[in-house]
Amino acid sequence: LTVNAVALISPANTPIIVHAYRKHPSPLKYHFIAHTALDIIEERLANGVDSYLGLLHTLEDQAVYGYVTPTRIRIVISIALTDTLVRDADVITIFKSLHTAYARSLANPFL
């Protein structure tokens, strides 16, 4: 899997961090992707789904997946669309790693 960008969004729908791993001519593209994913996340949360929200949408050459932590932090990742099969178990592993890293950074008094 090729992760293009990761966005952490607060419960108030404000971006905490949007980090792009790939260079793009328009640096705001990944902010746009994160904000468009928020609408779909709100719809799915109203239906009472699990913390893993699955594939939210595809945009050009990217697939956007969502995850909500127990503290209502929304994690959005953008994965490059290729011919390979993307398994939900792989994406869930990425989300759990990101959630653990975020929790550890919050708990670290030296950051």
Side-chain angles (χ1 to χ4, degrees), residues 88-103:
D88 281 343
D90 296 336
V91 177
I92 291 171
T93 303
I94 292 171
F95 278 125
K96 287 186 179 183
S97 298
L98 288 170
H99 184 209
T100 302
Y102 177 70

Side-chain angles (χ1 to χ4, degrees), residues 1-6 19-30 61-62 78-80 82:
L1 296 176
T2 304
V3 177
N4 290 338
V6 172
H19 182 75
Y21 294 101
R22 301 276 181 208
K23 296 291 182 188
H24 193 271
S26 174
L28 295 177
K29 177 180 181 174
Y30 297 112
D61 59 343
Q62 300 181 34
S78 171
I79 297 177
T82 59

Side-chain angles (χ1 to χ4, degrees), residues 21-111:
Y21 294 101
R22 301 276 181 208
K23 296 291 182 188
H24 193 271
S26 174
L28 295 177
K29 177 180 181 174
Y30 297 112
H31 286 271
F32 172 74
I33 289 172
H35 282 287
T36 56
L38 283 177
D39 295 334
I40 301 166
I41 289 172
E42 292 300 324
E43 288 176 11
R44 294 205 181 161
L45 288 178
N47 294 334
V49 296
D50 195 22
S51 59
Y52 173 63
L53 302 174
L55 178 66
L56 300 176
H57 64 86
T58 57
L59 182 69
E60 297 173 1
D61 59 343
Q62 300 181 34
V64 180
Y65 291 86
Y67 185 86
V68 178
T69 67
T71 57
R72 308 302 277 175
I73 299 293
R74 292 140 171 104
I75 304 173
V76 176
I77 62 171
S78 171
I79 297 177
L81 285 176
T82 59
D83 291 336
T84 60
L85 178 67
V86 177
R87 297 183 319 155
D88 281 343
D90 296 336
V91 177
I92 291 171
T93 303
I94 292 171
F95 278 125
K96 287 186 179 183
S97 298
L98 288 170
H99 184 209
T100 302
Y102 177 70
R104 284 185 180 171
S105 69
L106 284 180
N108 188 349
F110 300 108
L111 281 179

